């Protein structure tokens, strides 16, 4: 299991009461901050969860991801590959894990 499968999403509030979503990974946090300026809070949270699933499946650091990784991930979603085996963790929907086959 890669270190990226344990990527943890942290939600908090800033001094003005606005939602702040962070992973603690500079590149991802910078992207979420950029997105927060242009989008509604629910959109930022949705994108953060999408990023969590992506990095859990791909298992690579953000700086090591290449276009082929993104295309393989999207293809796997449509074909029922590894991305289909992810499910929300029973902690109020604050994460995901690989589902075991029965």
């Amino acid at each position: 299991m890669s270190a990226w499968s344990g990527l943890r999403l942290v939600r908090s509030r800033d001094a003005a009461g606005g939602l702040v979503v962070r992973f603690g990974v500079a590149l991802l946090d910078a992207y979420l901050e950029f997105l927060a300026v242009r989008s509604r809070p629910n959109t930022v949270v949705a994108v953060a969860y999408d990023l969590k699933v992506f990095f859990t499946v791909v298992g690579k650091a953000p700086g090591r991801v290449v276009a082929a990784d993104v295309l393989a991930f999207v293809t796997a979603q449509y074909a029922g590959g590894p991305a289909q085996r992810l499910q929300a963790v029973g902690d109020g929907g604050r994460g995901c894990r690989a589902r075991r086959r029965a």
Side-chain angles (χ1 to χ4, degrees):
M1 186 174 269
S2 86
W4 293 98
S5 63
L7 192 62
R8 185 161 173 81
L9 180 64
V10 177
R11 297 189 308 177
S12 61
R13 298 282 174 180
D14 62 18
L19 181 64
V20 177
V21 181
R22 297 286 182 264
F23 285 108
V25 176
L27 188 60
L28 298 179
D29 291 348
Y31 176 68
L32 292 172
E33 186 176 324
F34 168 80
L35 189 63
V37 172
R38 294 169 164 69
S39 304
R40 295 180 180 268
N42 287 345
T43 300
V44 178
V45 171
V47 168
Y49 281 112
D50 289 345
L51 287 170
K52 181 172 175 49
V53 171
F54 174 79
F55 285 105
T56 298
V57 171
V58 173
K60 290 183 177 181
R64 297 187 53 86
V65 172
V66 296
D69 297 321
V70 176
L71 294 173
F73 175 78
V74 171
T75 300
Q77 285 185 312
Y78 285 107
Q84 185 181 33
R85 292 194 305 266
L86 292 177
Q87 64 185 18
V89 174
D91 65 351
R94 295 185 187 158
C96 61
R97 67 172 176 224
R99 188 182 318 166
R100 293 185 184 178
R101 293 193 174 193

